[in-house]
Amino acid sequence: MSTKDFVEKDYYKVLGVPKDATDAEIKKAYRKLAREFHPDANKGDDKAEERFKEISEANDILGDSKKRKEYDEARALFGSGGFRAGPGGAGGNFNFDLGDLFGGTQGGGAGGGAGGFGGGGLGDVFGGLFNRGGTGTRVQPRRGQDIESEVTLSFIEAVEGATVPLRMSSQAPCKACSGTGDKNGTPRVCPTCLGTGQVSRGTGGGFSLTDPCVDCKGRGLIAQDPCDVCKGSGRAKSSRTMQVRIPAGVSDNQRIRLRGKGGPGERGGPAGDLYVVVHVDAHPVFGRRDDNLTVTVPVDFTEAALGGEVKVPTLGGPPVTLKLPAGTPNGRTMRARGKGAVRKDGTRGDLLVTVEVTVPKDLSTEAKDALEAYRKATAGHDPRAELFQAAKGA
Ligand SMILES: [Zn+2]
Ligand SMILES: [Zn+2]
């Protein structure tokens, strides 16, 4: 005797008797039909054989007062149409096992058939519902939401790291109803998903897919008297400002993840993560190249030609002095070690100093005379000789 049969088959109809037929009426109907469709009287007639089996099966149940009572109860519970097994039966449409429901009271026939429905056990499901009884919570812990936020740092904050206030809004359990969605804190179990928050839909191939329940939006609960604040959703927008430590060395448009700083978890679930997209303001003097800082330093022609010591500013520290070798060309880059951006391990990158040879606009008479003297001294030198040579050669 299978569960599916219990739910699907109408044995009264098979025997052609009313639901309130007496035992005698059932016996009489069975005998008449059994004679009519008996295989001996219908040799080779498959339809008759099938019908005879149905009749026998119906009589097995309805002819036994105990089994008939169980059958009536099962159909009263599930036979109303809300609980159909899909075509092909053995389905994942639901995993109830009526055998469990009727437990030991059912005859030996229950065992085999119940297997087709796999898993579950109505006892479990009902047990789950009753246990939940109005506590207004789903058992399953839920991880908090991941939150994304943005912050703009000054150049130096990005290089050295900073603690910045971050205002965030997130979905949190509604305070007014403690997240139940119900004004009085007494939501009822969603009748559609029976509190699981999920509905299975059969695919017809013996598989089933699980979707969040539409009626309760996956919460498993429905407000009887919806909370005014959250309109029954149980969730509310909450704003909070928290101090967030941005590590040293972040660069513009970098997305950093702060584990566990996102939305709060529910029912013991872990908090989500906070992602912060960092924007870094430009600096009027310094630039960034990975761990290194860059700076362009103007030098006089004489400093470049004759060599000398050049003072270079650093970010947030005292200036450093660079030795410029004689004959330094315009655009040469030199390195001041350890004066760059802070790395993850706390060490620093370098400061890359690019030399820019400047030309004086206003010259004193003395300086002009000196330069005229220099021009005379270098009269034999053509600075474009190489250029023309190269242009001809090509
Ligand atoms: Zn539901
Ligand atoms: Zn609420």
Side-chain angles (χ1 to χ4, degrees):
M1 182 61 258
S2 86
T3 315
K4 184 182 148 216
D5 291 344
F6 260 128
V7 177
E8 287 205 319
K9 289 190 181 173
D10 189 343
Y11 290 132
Y12 292 102
K13 210 168 157 189
V14 169
L15 294 185
V17 293
K19 299 246 183 312
D20 55 358
T22 63
D23 289 355
E25 283 171 324
I26 287 167
K27 193 177 264 180
K28 194 179 158 202
Y30 165 66
R31 282 193 178 149
K32 181 176 167 278
L33 290 167
R35 263 199 304 275
E36 189 182 337
F37 292 98
H38 197 280
D40 288 353
N42 299 276
K43 282 223 159 62
D45 186 345
D46 288 345
K47 270 187 185 163
E49 198 184 332
E50 200 53 46
R51 184 92 169 88
F52 181 75
K53 276 186 193 160
E54 263 180 25
I55 294 158
S56 306
E57 207 181 301
N59 182 59
D60 277 350
I61 302 302
L62 300 187
D64 180 318
S65 61
K66 207 168 116 192
K67 285 184 188 172
R68 182 183 175 189
K69 190 164 168 269
E70 289 166 4
Y71 172 68
D72 287 344
E73 283 170 353
R75 285 181 63 80
L77 258 178
F78 298 114
S80 55
F83 251 94
R84 294 268 135 192
N93 284 22
F94 56 96
N95 18 334
F96 285 42
D97 182 345
L98 285 183
D100 283 4
L101 177 60
F102 296 107
T105 66
Q106 193 157 352
F117 284 80
L122 200 54
D124 294 347
V125 175
F126 277 178
L129 293 188
F130 296 147
N131 286 344
R132 252 187 280 279
T135 58
T137 53
R138 281 181 65 207
V139 179
Q140 211 134 31
R142 196 188 292 188
R143 185 178 174 276
Q145 280 186 319
D146 287 341
I147 299 174
E148 185 155 313
S149 186
E150 286 181 301
V151 68
T152 300
L153 300 182
S154 73
F155 188 85
I156 192 161
E157 283 175 328
V159 168
E160 303 195 331
T163 300
V164 293
L166 209 59
R167 190 177 161 80
M168 290 174 304
S169 56
S170 64
Q171 292 286 314
C174 172
K175 281 203 178 80
C177 62
S178 306
T180 61
D182 190 280
K183 212 178 255 173
N184 307 309
T186 53
R188 64 194 167 94
V189 169
C190 172
T192 308
C193 62
L194 301 175
T196 62
Q198 296 177 330
V199 284
S200 294
R201 86 190 131 86
T203 58
F207 295 98
S208 64
L209 297 171
T210 303
D211 294 323
C213 175
V214 176
D215 290 340
C216 63
K217 301 192 173 56
R219 297 176 64 239
L221 299 168
I222 287 183
Q224 311 202 59
D225 195 0
C227 165
D228 292 329
V229 178
C230 64
K231 308 276 178 285
S233 72
R235 300 181 73 77
K237 236 194 172 122
S238 81
S239 265
R240 59 196 166 124
T241 301
M242 62 188 266
Q243 299 294 319
V244 173
R245 177 71 198 165
I246 306 291
V250 290
S251 44
D252 194 25
N253 290 324
Q254 195 176 330
R255 191 167 179 260
I256 61 172
R257 175 188 182 193
L258 298 164
R259 202 184 290 267
K261 298 287 186 190
E266 288 176 51
R267 292 175 278 281
D273 296 332
L274 169 63
Y275 290 90
V276 182
V277 177
V278 179
H279 302 291
V280 181
D281 282 338
H283 193 280
V285 169
F286 297 98
R288 272 279 289 282
R289 202 178 300 157
D290 302 322
D291 298 335
N292 300 321
L293 294 178
T294 60
V295 66
T296 298
V297 177
V299 298
D300 275 340
F301 169 74
T302 46
E303 287 177 311
L306 304 174
E309 292 193 336
V310 178
K311 247 188 192 175
V312 176
T314 63
L315 186 71
V320 289
T321 302
L322 277 190
K323 248 188 143 73
L324 215 61
T328 297
N330 181 46
R332 167 160 296 177
T333 296
M334 291 178 302
R335 194 176 285 263
R337 294 206 182 273
K339 301 295 177 189
V342 181
R343 296 197 184 98
K344 267 186 194 148
D345 62 3
T347 63
R348 279 177 172 264
D350 302 331
L351 177 61
L352 304 177
V353 183
T354 300
V355 167
E356 187 180 61
V357 177
T358 58
V359 176
K361 276 180 192 142
D362 300 309
L363 291 171
S364 64
T365 314
E366 198 186 350
K368 218 180 219 171
D369 291 346
L371 282 178
E372 286 297 350
Y374 173 78
R375 198 207 307 252
K376 258 182 212 156
T378 57
H381 175 69
D382 180 2
R384 287 167 292 279
E386 269 181 43
L387 173 72
F388 280 92
Q389 198 60 42
K392 221 187 278 171

